[in-house]
C-alpha cells in the first residue's frame, strides 16, 4: 500500500465559513484525474485544527464517499484525547479508510515511552495501517530517532512515517537503514525535497493539491530510471513550491487561491486565525504558476 504521490486535500469553505462539500468532491476528482494512486485528508494542509469533532466526522464520510475506493486513502486523526482519536479512527475505518495518520497531541503532550504508548493505544484500537507524522514545525514535538524505532518495534500497525523534521533526509536515511526499509518513509514539506527523498529511500511524497499532477509525472520519470527528466521536472516546480512554503498558513492560502483561480473551488476562504495573501503576493503566485506551466 501507499507509494508515489499522496496529495493532502484542502478542505474548502464557503464565504460563510461552512464546509463546501461540492468543492471537496471537485478536489478529490482533480487529484484522481491527475493519476495519483493515494490521497490524504486531515494532514495539516486540510486545516483539521479548525474543524470541530463532528465536522471532522462529516468531512471524513463525505471524502471517503467521494473517493469511492478509486484510490487508497489516509485519514489524519488530530484530536487531543485518546478516546476522541479512537472514535474518529473507528468511524473512518467503518466508512472505508485504508489507513490513519497519527500526531502527538497538542496539549499535555507525552514524551518518550509515554508517547509511544499513546500511539500504540490508538493504533491497536482502530487496527488500520498507521503513519506517524514527524513534524516539529507544526506539532511542536520533536521525536527522536530512537523513539521512532522503538515505536516501530512495538506497534505492529506502524508501517509508515512522514518525515518533516529539520534536515529531514538525514533522519529518513537512518530510518530506512535501521529498519531495513520496513518502515516506509514519506517526504512532506510540499514536495520541496522530492528528488533527495527518493534518492534516500522514500516510498513517496505528500505535496499539496495544486502540483500533484506534475509531481506524479516527476515520480514516474524517477521510477523509470530517467533521473535527468525527473530533475528537469522538479527544477521547474521548485520556484512555486518554495514560494508557497513560507509558513503553513501561507501555504494553505496559496493553494486555496490557485484552486479558486483554476475553477476547482468557489472560494479561497480560510477559517480564522489565518494568513491572507496580499495583492502583490497573489500576483507573484500566479506569475510563478504561469511560468511553470509554460516550461513544462
Amino acid at each position: 500500500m501507499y507509494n508515489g504521490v499522496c496529495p493532502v486535500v484542502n478542505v474548502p469553505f464557503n464565504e460563510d465559513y461552512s464546509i463546501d462539500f461540492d468543492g471537496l468532491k471537485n478536489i478529490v476528482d482533480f487529484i484522481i484525474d491527475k493519476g495519483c494512486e493515494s490521497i490524504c485528508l486531515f494532514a495539516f494542509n486540510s486545516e483539521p485544527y479548525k474543524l470541530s469533532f463532528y465536522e471532522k466526522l462529516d468531512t471524513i464520510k463525505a471524502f471517503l464517499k467521494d473517493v469511492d475506493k478509486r484510490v487508497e486513502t489516509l485519514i489524519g486523526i488530530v484530536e487531543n484525547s485518546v478516546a476522541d482519536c479512537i472514535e474518529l479512527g473507528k468511524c473512518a475505518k467503518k466508512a472505508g479508510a485504508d489507513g490513519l495518520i497519527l500526531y502527538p497531541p497538542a496539549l499535555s503532550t507525552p514524551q518518550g515511552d509515554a508517547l509511544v504508548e499513546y500511539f500504540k493505544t490508538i493504533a491497536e484500537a482502530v487496527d488500520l495501517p498507521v503513519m506517524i507524522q514527524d513534524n516539529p514545525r507544526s506539532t511542536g514535538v520533536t521525536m527522536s530517532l530512537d523513539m521512532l524505532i522503538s515505536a516501530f518495534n512495538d506497534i505492529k500497525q506502524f508501517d509508515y512515517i512522514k518525515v518533516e523534521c529539520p534536515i529531514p533526509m538525514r533522519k529518513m536515511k537512518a530510518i530506512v537503514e535501521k529498519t531495513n526499509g520496513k518502515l516506509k518513509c514519506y517526504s512532506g514539506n510540499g514536495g520541496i525535497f522530492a528528488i533527495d527523498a527518493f534518492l534516500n529511500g522514500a516510498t513517496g511524497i505528500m505535496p499539496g493539491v495544486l502540483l500533484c499532477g506534475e509531481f506524479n509525472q516527476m515520480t514516474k520519470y524517477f521510477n523509470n530510471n530517467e533521473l535527468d527528466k525527473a530533475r528537469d521536472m522538479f527544477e521547474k516546480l521548485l520556484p512555486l513550491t518554495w514560494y508557497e512554503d513560507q509558513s503553513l498558513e501561507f501555504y494553505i492560502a496559496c493553494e486555496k487561491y490557485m484552486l479558486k483561480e483554476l475553477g476547482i473551488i468557489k472560494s479561497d476562504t480560510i477559517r480564522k486565525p489565518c494568513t491572507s495573501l496580499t495583492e502583490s503576493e497573489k500576483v507573484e503566485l500566479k506569475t510563478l504558476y504561469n511560468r511553470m506551466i509554460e516550461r513544462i
Side-chain angles (χ1 to χ4, degrees):
M1 291 176 64
Y2 306 118
N3 59 77
V5 180
C6 181
V8 179
V9 305
N10 297 94
V11 173
F13 301 118
N14 297 306
E15 291 184 359
D16 65 358
Y17 299 105
S18 63
I19 297 171
D20 175 13
F21 289 104
D22 290 335
L24 179 63
K25 185 178 187 306
N26 290 344
I27 290 173
V28 168
D29 289 341
F30 175 81
I31 291 171
I32 295 174
D33 287 345
K34 293 294 183 180
C36 299
E37 297 179 0
S38 59
I39 185 171
C40 171
L41 173 71
F42 290 156
F44 289 124
N45 190 43
S46 305
E47 299 175 78
Y49 46 90
K50 296 180 183 177
L51 274 68
S52 72
F53 181 87
Y54 293 104
E55 283 180 320
K56 289 175 189 173
L57 283 177
D58 290 342
T59 305
I60 287 169
K61 292 174 184 177
F63 168 75
L64 292 170
K65 183 179 179 181
D66 293 339
V67 174
D68 193 26
K69 290 293 184 181
R70 290 179 288 170
V71 295
E72 295 169 341
T73 53
L74 275 169
I75 305 294
I77 305 297
V78 183
E79 292 293 330
N80 281 310
S81 77
V82 170
D84 283 347
C85 287
I86 290 173
E87 183 176 352
L88 208 57
K90 285 185 174 180
C91 288
K93 181 179 181 179
K94 184 177 180 180
D98 297 305
L100 303 180
I101 305 180
L102 300 183
Y103 307 83
L107 303 174
S108 302
T109 307
Q111 301 293 323
D113 292 343
L115 182 55
V116 173
E117 185 62 26
Y118 171 86
F119 290 139
K120 183 178 181 179
T121 302
I122 300 166
E124 289 185 344
V126 180
D127 198 22
L128 281 176
V130 160
M131 174 183 286
I132 290 176
Q133 180 151 358
D134 179 17
N135 183 356
R137 182 171 73 165
S138 295
T139 66
V141 178
T142 298
M143 291 184 274
S144 70
L145 176 62
D146 288 343
M147 192 223 90
L148 290 169
I149 299 303
S150 175
F152 173 70
N153 291 329
D154 198 31
I155 305 172
K156 69 175 183 178
Q157 296 86 0
F158 181 24
D159 297 323
Y160 304 89
I161 182 165
K162 187 179 180 186
V163 185
E164 290 186 296
C165 59
I167 320 180
M169 295 310 106
R170 292 183 186 177
K171 196 169 193 177
M172 182 180 293
K173 185 176 181 180
I175 289 170
V176 171
E177 290 175 350
K178 286 182 176 293
T179 65
N180 294 317
K182 293 179 181 178
L183 180 53
K184 297 175 178 62
C185 296
Y186 265 76
S187 180
N189 299 103
I192 58 177
F193 304 116
I195 294 293
D196 200 21
F198 283 126
L199 290 173
N200 280 283
T203 296
I205 59 174
M206 298 181 74
V209 175
L210 181 62
L211 301 182
C212 67
E214 287 76 15
F215 275 115
N216 196 41
Q217 182 59 61
M218 181 213 76
T219 303
K220 287 180 179 178
Y221 285 141
F222 186 90
N223 290 338
N224 288 333
N225 295 315
E226 298 178 280
L227 185 55
D228 285 341
K229 286 186 177 181
R231 285 193 179 278
D232 286 344
M233 174 66 81
F234 180 59
E235 288 162 9
K236 292 169 184 174
L237 306 182
L238 272 179
L240 177 56
T241 306
W242 273 105
Y243 186 78
E244 287 188 298
D245 195 45
Q246 297 183 56
S247 76
L248 173 60
E249 289 291 331
F250 189 84
Y251 187 91
I252 291 168
C254 289
E255 288 280 299
K256 284 194 166 182
Y257 177 74
M258 288 306 304
L259 291 176
K260 185 191 74 171
E261 289 295 296
L262 294 173
I264 298 167
I265 59 177
K266 295 178 294 185
S267 171
D268 59 350
T269 299
I270 307 170
R271 285 187 176 177
K272 297 179 180 178
C274 65
T275 298
S276 299
L277 300 180
T278 66
E279 290 306 312
S280 63
E281 288 165 349
K282 292 176 182 178
V283 170
E284 180 65 9
L285 180 61
K286 289 175 70 174
T287 298
L288 290 170
Y289 178 81
N290 290 332
R291 286 174 64 84
M292 179 207 70
I293 293 298
E294 289 172 0
R295 291 170 178 171
I296 291 176

